[in-house]
């Protein structure tokens, strides 16, 4: 086993602290990765603060991981020492159920193994995430990071990028489609960039117009303030697809009214309280309300290659590990444009 430096949450109410953790021995199908950068996702905060259920502490989070392969098991065929690689939200799954066989491990019927706060099938330990110097992962869940993508900025693609790419791809966003992105944060700004690159006409729906300049720079054709009630009148029946990235309660009836006949609104944000959906807002125009998680490994690799082809990267702010707690507070107050990335070298 290898001992590495990390930042961990000691409890749901305490700040993260510097510590050491052990990484399991390399198995025949495992890849060891020296982590270069790790993104901070809002999910990390929800998890360590116990807002999505009880977890075991101390817990190292982080599921947006990029780095270089430092060692491989004897049976590894997909990666070799020195490769630029990434790890997202999963590190294993059953590999046998209907969904895994289809390449949709994110919907594993037996429950995929999360990068952190899961149970590692290799040794029964609690999985620990990317706020650390190294990680050991089954080769099937390690992704190739194209050389053209700036390694300092690429990490958030492993969660924010695929979380938006997957529904945009599934619901056929592309030329001739009117797509709205609700919220211009870590998720939303990736949705604008990816939907635009897919050829869709993109509109941003944000509370105010304060980020309008950014929306247009990322590829949107329009930006509207949802605090203005006239927005919902003006844009009624306008969109084929709406991706809601907001993890807060919104008036679903009003947003459903923005869809065309057969339009779909997809939730990727995960509010802690239930959303209320008036049935007639769905029935009247054969509208749909759906949800989407991340993508499978095959689709995530497709997303990375797509982003490399189109020069798509998240907007990031690089921080040292000792600034993680401050970064958490800034995420909660929406004081980041648009994703924090931890320099893992500062863990030494």
């Amino acid at each position: 086993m290898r001992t590495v430096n990390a930042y961990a949450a000691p409890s749901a109410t305490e700040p993260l602290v510097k510590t050491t953790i052990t990484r399991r021995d390399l198995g025949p199908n495992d890849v060891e990765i020296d982590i270069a950068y790790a993104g901070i996702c809002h999910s990390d905060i929800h998890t360590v603060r116990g807002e999505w259920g009880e977890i075991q502490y101390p817990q190292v989070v982080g599921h947006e991981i990029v780095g270089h392969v430092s060692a491989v098991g004897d049976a590894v065929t997909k990666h070799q020492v020195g490769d630029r690689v990434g790890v997202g939200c999963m590190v294993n799954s059953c590999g046998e159920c209907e969904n895994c066989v289809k390449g949709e491990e994110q919907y594993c019927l037996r429950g995929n193994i999360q990068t952190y706060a899961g149970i590692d099938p290799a040794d029964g330990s609690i999985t620990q995430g990317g706020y650390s110097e190294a990680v050991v992962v089954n080769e099937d869940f390690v992704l190739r990071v194209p050389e053209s993508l700036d390694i300092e900025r690429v990490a958030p693609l492993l969660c924010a990028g695929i979380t938006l790419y997957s529904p945009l791809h599934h619901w056929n966003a592309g030329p001739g489609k009117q797509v709205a992105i609700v919220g211009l944060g870590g998720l939303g700004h990736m949705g604008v960039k990816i939907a635009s690159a897919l050829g869709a006409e993109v509109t941003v729906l944000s509370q105010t117009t304060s980020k309008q300049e950014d929306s247009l720079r990322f590829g949107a054709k329009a930006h509207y303030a949802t605090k203005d009630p006239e927005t919902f009148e003006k844009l009624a029946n306008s969109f084929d697809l709406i991706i809601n990235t907001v993890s807060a309660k919104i008036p679903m009836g009003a947003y459903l009214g923005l869809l065309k006949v057969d339009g779909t609104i997809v939730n990727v944000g995960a509010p802690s309280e239930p959303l209320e959906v008036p049935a007639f807002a769905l029935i009247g125009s054969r509208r749909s309300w759906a949800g989407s998680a991340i993508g499978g490994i095959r689709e995530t690799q497709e997303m990375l290659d797509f982003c490399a082809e189109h020069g798509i990267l998240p907007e990031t702010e690089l921080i040292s590990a000792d600034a993680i707690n401050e970064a958490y507070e800034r995420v909660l107050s929406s004081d980041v444009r648009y994703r924090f990335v931890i320099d893992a070298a500062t863990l030494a």
Side-chain angles (χ1 to χ4, degrees):
M1 292 190 294
R2 178 180 173 187
T3 299
V4 298
N5 292 322
Y7 258 74
S11 74
T13 57
E14 297 174 85
L16 276 66
V17 296
K18 188 173 182 179
T19 185
T20 58
I21 58 173
T22 56
R23 292 302 190 182
R24 60 178 170 80
D25 291 332
L26 202 66
N29 299 108
D30 289 334
V31 172
E32 182 181 79
I33 301 165
D34 283 342
I35 298 172
Y37 300 97
I40 291 179
C41 177
H42 204 149
S43 300
D44 302 343
I45 303 173
H46 286 304
T47 298
V48 299
R49 297 189 176 183
E51 295 167 355
W52 285 352
E54 294 183 7
I55 63 168
Q56 184 172 317
Y57 299 94
Q59 179 64 63
V60 177
V61 291
H63 57 204
E64 299 175 341
I65 302 167
V66 293
H68 297 89
V69 175
S70 54
V72 297
D74 294 340
V76 170
T77 61
K78 297 179 179 179
H79 309 282
Q80 56 187 345
V81 172
D83 284 355
R84 282 175 27 135
V85 294
V87 177
C89 301
M90 302 177 287
V91 291
N92 217 319
S93 71
C94 80
E96 299 174 351
C97 73
E98 177 184 359
N99 292 344
C100 284
V101 170
K102 289 192 301 184
E104 294 190 333
E105 303 91 346
Q106 75 275 32
Y107 302 123
C108 176
L109 295 175
R110 299 176 190 174
N112 63 64
I113 310 303
Q114 298 289 292
T115 303
Y116 56 76
I119 304 296
D120 193 331
D123 61 2
S125 64
I126 302 299
T127 56
Q128 303 285 352
Y131 297 6
S132 56
E133 291 181 301
V135 66
V136 175
V137 182
N138 180 285
E139 69 167 328
D140 291 337
F141 289 80
V142 177
L143 297 139
R144 178 184 55 82
V145 176
E147 291 292 333
S148 63
L149 293 174
D150 182 354
I151 195 170
E152 184 180 301
R153 295 173 58 193
V154 72
L157 292 181
L158 278 304
C159 176
I162 187 58
T163 297
L164 272 296
Y165 181 88
S166 188
L168 289 167
H169 182 248
H170 181 79
W171 275 276
N172 301 309
K177 293 293 183 73
Q178 302 290 327
V179 174
I181 304 295
V182 182
L184 194 70
L187 294 176
H189 91 289
M190 291 310 309
V192 175
K193 291 187 176 190
I194 292 170
S196 178
L198 286 166
E201 185 165 312
V202 184
T203 297
V204 170
L205 302 175
S206 185
Q207 290 190 70
T208 69
T209 58
S210 64
K211 297 179 181 178
Q212 182 171 8
E213 185 176 331
D214 284 352
S215 293
L216 301 180
R217 179 165 56 90
F218 299 153
K221 300 298 183 183
H223 179 117
Y224 288 90
T226 56
K227 282 188 174 180
D228 182 353
E230 292 185 4
T231 290
F232 291 92
E233 297 176 14
K234 183 174 183 178
L235 299 180
N237 306 297
S238 291
F239 301 108
D240 301 289
L241 178 65
I242 299 174
I243 308 292
N244 176 27
T245 72
V246 177
S247 291
K249 194 170 184 178
I250 64 171
M252 290 301 298
Y255 282 88
L256 284 163
L258 302 179
L259 292 170
K260 298 178 182 180
V261 171
D262 290 327
T264 300
I265 184 168
V266 182
N267 255 69
V268 296
S272 58
E273 54 185 323
L275 297 174
E276 298 175 358
V277 180
F280 284 104
L282 295 169
I283 294 169
S285 294
R286 203 163 56 202
R287 296 167 176 138
S288 299
W289 180 37
S292 179
I294 55 171
I297 296 301
R298 181 177 60 221
E299 189 175 43
T300 304
Q301 187 64 62
E302 179 184 299
M303 177 274 305
L304 287 169
D305 295 340
F306 177 86
C307 288
E309 179 184 353
H310 293 274
I312 296 172
L313 282 165
E315 304 296 308
T316 60
E317 180 178 333
L318 188 66
I319 63 169
S320 61
D322 61 7
I324 290 173
N325 290 302
E326 177 188 351
Y328 272 24
E329 296 308 314
R330 288 181 57 192
V331 168
L332 294 172
S333 61
S334 300
D335 180 27
V336 56
R337 293 194 179 183
Y338 282 87
R339 208 71 162 186
F340 286 114
V341 171
I342 303 162
D343 182 354
T346 62
L347 286 161

